[in-house]
């Protein structure tokens, strides 16, 4: 079984470096080249994800929601988002529902990793209650999401 004829391998500099690192690992087989190959692969994935439409959309949605919470409170932000069903629910339920909404239920690798970076960012910022979003500047939230990617 060979490579699918419809598959076009990525050719960006990040992926070229990752492919060279894997070739080096295959030729050398040592732990240093294995770690280098893994590092280059992760770097290429992060580069692709940070510029992906799904990551940009998910990040924009969470920042817009945080702005809405700051402006008009959590309940109104939920109404504006069309999620009246979440009013009165625990912060954990609200967070999980919105996170999956914003990241297309993790249906692609990019969506899943977007969800993970948003979740990690909110944990790093110690957000335990959705009302706390009003206290976090948008720039800080977005920066943390990017760091966690």
């Amino acid at each position: 079984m060979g490579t699918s004829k419809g598959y076009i391998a990525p050719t960006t500099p990040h992926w070229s470096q990752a492919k060279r690192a894997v070739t080096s690992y295959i030729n050398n087989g040592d732990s240093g080249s294995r770690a280098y190959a893994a590092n280059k692969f992760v770097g290429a994935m992060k580069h692709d994800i940070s510029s992906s439409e799904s990551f940009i959309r998910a990040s924009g949605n969470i920042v817009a929601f945080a702005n809405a919470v700051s402006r008009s409170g959590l309940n109104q932000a939920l109404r504006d988002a069309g999620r009246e069903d979440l009013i009165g629910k625990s912060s954990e339920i609200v967070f999980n529902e919105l996170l999956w909404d914003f990241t297309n239920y993790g249906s692609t690798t990019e969506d899943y990793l977007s969800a993970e970076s948003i979740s990690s960012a909110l944990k790093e910022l110690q957000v335990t209650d959705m009302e706390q979003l009003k206290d976090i500047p948008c720039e800080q939230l977005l920066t943390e999401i990017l760091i966690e990617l």
Side-chain angles (χ1 to χ4, degrees), residues 89-97 128 130:
K89 304 279 184 181
S90 72
S91 281
E92 183 178 351
I93 290 171
V94 172
F95 170 72
N96 287 330
E97 287 292 320
T128 56
M130 294 303 287

Side-chain angles (χ1 to χ4, degrees), residues 16-81:
S16 294
Q17 292 171 6
K19 289 184 275 186
R20 279 193 296 277
V22 169
T23 300
S24 175
Y25 170 60
I26 291 169
N27 292 335
N28 298 328
D30 60 48
S31 63
S33 59
R34 179 180 63 195
Y36 184 71
N39 186 9
K40 288 298 180 181
F41 176 79
V42 168
M45 284 292 294
K46 281 185 172 187
H47 181 268
D48 282 0
I49 292 166
S50 67
S51 60
S52 79
E53 188 176 313
S54 59
F55 176 75
I56 293 167
R57 183 181 58 252
S59 300
N61 284 340
I62 193 69
V63 170
F65 186 78
N67 277 337
V69 171
S70 287
R71 247 186 351 269
S72 24
L74 178 60
N75 289 344
Q76 187 60 45
L78 289 169
R79 282 186 198 93
D80 293 345

